[in-house]
Structure formats: structure tokens, C-alpha cells
Amino acid sequence: MIKPELKLAAIAVGLSITILGATPSGADVISDWATAKAPPPPELKEVTVDPATTAVLFLDIMKAGCSARPRCVAAVPNLKRMHDAGRAHNMVFWYSLVGSNGKATADDVMDASFKPRSSAEWYRQGGPDKFMGSTLQAT
């Protein structure tokens, strides 16, 4: 008589072989790219922002990266308006700074008109996770 544990293990191995054998060897993201369908855009809704509980995050809006991307350059006037409105309402701002071979400073922000006011507002990001080890939680 076969132990139930062995029977279960044999079934699992059999299923694994079947599934792996049924997967085409050439299947990858590039092969499936043309079949991908983007979700619809999110519905835009009016919101009320409470400056006491809301922060504005400026992530990676740096001269080196932004100036090479037309969409980023085109967004600068809107970023400036958002910055000025937030500052007028005493909102908290926090910036992640990237580039400059790991030595980015507030002066490397795309536009001087919306750069951080103090070192407490920014964090030099040193990896792909902008928040791990950062000053955001404390801010």
C-alpha cells in the first residue's frame, strides 16, 4: 500500500511536469507584448486636500533626468503651480534626489523655483527604493 504522503507527492510532481511541459519554451514578455491590453485610465475626481495631513512628494525631478524627457520638461510649469499652491497652504514637502553619481543636492532639482528649502525636506536616494531608510516617515 502506498503512503498518502507519497501519493500526494507523486501527484504534485506529475502536475508540475504537465504544467511545465505545456508552457511554450519561447513564451516571454516580448512574445506576449502585442497581446497586452492597458487598463482604462482612472476616473478623475475632485478632492479636498488637508494641509495638516497631506504631503507633496517630488520624486526624482532632477535636471539630469528631466531635461532629457520632453514630458518632464512640459510638466515643469504644472509642478511649479502645485509647489506654489502647496507652500501657500503650509503643506509638507519631501523630495527624493537622485543622480550626480550619488552626490545629488537640492541645486540639482530641475527648476530652482521649486527646490527644497532645507535639508530636512530632502533625501538623497541611494537605490531603487526611494523610501527605505529615508527621512520621509520622520518628516
Side-chain angles (χ1 to χ4, degrees), residues 29-119:
V29 171
I30 301 302
S31 299
D32 293 338
W33 199 270
T35 64
K37 183 169 175 11
E43 179 184 348
L44 299 180
K45 298 177 183 180
E46 290 283 328
V47 297
T48 302
V49 175
D50 178 6
T53 59
T54 306
V56 179
L57 306 183
F58 275 57
L59 307 176
D60 306 351
I61 309 296
M62 311 299 289
K63 292 174 188 172
C66 187
S67 59
R69 295 175 175 81
R71 275 192 181 171
C72 188
V73 173
V76 168
N78 289 332
L79 293 169
K80 171 74 171 126
R81 276 192 294 279
M82 183 173 63
H83 171 271
D84 292 349
R87 291 286 189 196
H89 289 91
N90 297 314
M91 291 190 69
V92 171
F93 278 75
W94 188 83
Y95 300 73
S96 71
L97 305 183
V98 297
S100 298
N101 293 322
K103 295 179 176 30
T105 69
D107 290 329
D108 295 316
V109 170
M110 178 59 182
D111 190 298
S113 67
F114 57 74
K115 73 179 190 177
R117 289 182 175 171
S118 72
S119 61

Side-chain angles (χ1 to χ4, degrees), residues 1-13:
M1 181 168 182
I2 299 175
K3 291 184 179 181
E5 297 87 14
L6 290 177
K7 192 182 279 190
L8 189 58
I11 291 170
V13 168

Side-chain angles (χ1 to χ4, degrees), residues 116-136:
R117 289 182 175 171
S118 72
S119 61
E121 288 187 335
W122 63 270
Y123 179 74
R124 185 178 300 117
Q125 187 253 347
D129 187 328
K130 292 173 186 1
F131 309 111
M132 191 161 87
S134 77
T135 57
L136 180 59

